[in-house]
């Protein structure tokens, strides 16, 4: 396989940066979590936000999973619909970006 030489005007190549501030919990990719989340959604079929009657789409951790001691604690979980789940995670991500800039 031929090696590629960079041209002098191209500069150094930077690693791809996703902009993600925190790491993702590795437990999301396990059968245990998927089965647990599926059962949680069956038991809690409606979004937890007051006034919202949409079906549950996300099993959301109230305290971020990387900061809590037990990711399977029912007291730290809430069912969220698609809209509220995305607005919550988007708001958390934006808050982290703002804190990072300071």
């Amino acid at each position: 396989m031929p090696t590629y030489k960079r041209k002098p005007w191209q500069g150094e190549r930077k690693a791809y940066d996703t902009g993600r501030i925190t790491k993702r919990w590795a437990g999301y990719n396990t059968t245990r979590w998927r089965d647990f989340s599926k059962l949680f959604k069956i038991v809690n079929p409606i979004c937890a936000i007051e006034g919202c009657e949409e079906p549950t789409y996300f099993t959301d951790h109230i305290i971020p999973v990387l900061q809590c001691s037990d990711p399977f604690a029912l007291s730290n979980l809430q069912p969220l619909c698609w809209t509220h789940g995305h607005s919550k995670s988007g708001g958390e991500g934006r808050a982290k970006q703002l804190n990072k800039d300071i």
Side-chain angles (χ1 to χ4, degrees), residues 24-41:
R24 181 179 162 92
W25 178 54
Y28 286 130
N29 292 330
T30 62
T31 304
R32 180 181 179 205
W33 173 257
R34 285 192 296 270
D35 291 345
F36 178 82
S37 179
K38 186 185 292 185
L39 182 62
F40 183 80
K41 291 175 200 174

Side-chain angles (χ1 to χ4, degrees), residues 21 34 41 50 59-60 78 92 95 99-100:
I21 295 171
R34 285 192 296 270
K41 291 175 200 174
E50 190 174 330
T59 301
D60 178 62
Q78 65 181 349
E92 288 173 348
N99 291 336
K100 181 183 176 186

Side-chain angles (χ1 to χ4, degrees), residues 10-62:
Q10 288 180 321
E12 288 299 314
R13 203 171 211 179
K14 295 180 182 177
Y16 179 70
D17 181 19
T18 61
R20 187 172 223 149
I21 295 171
T22 59
K23 294 182 179 180
R24 181 179 162 92
W25 178 54
Y28 286 130
N29 292 330
T30 62
T31 304
R32 180 181 179 205
W33 173 257
R34 285 192 296 270
D35 291 345
F36 178 82
S37 179
K38 186 185 292 185
L39 182 62
F40 183 80
K41 291 175 200 174
I42 290 170
V43 173
N44 301 285
I46 304 297
C47 181
I49 303 299
E50 190 174 330
C52 181
E53 296 187 12
E54 293 294 316
T56 298
Y57 190 80
F58 292 104
T59 301
D60 178 62
H61 288 93
I62 299 167

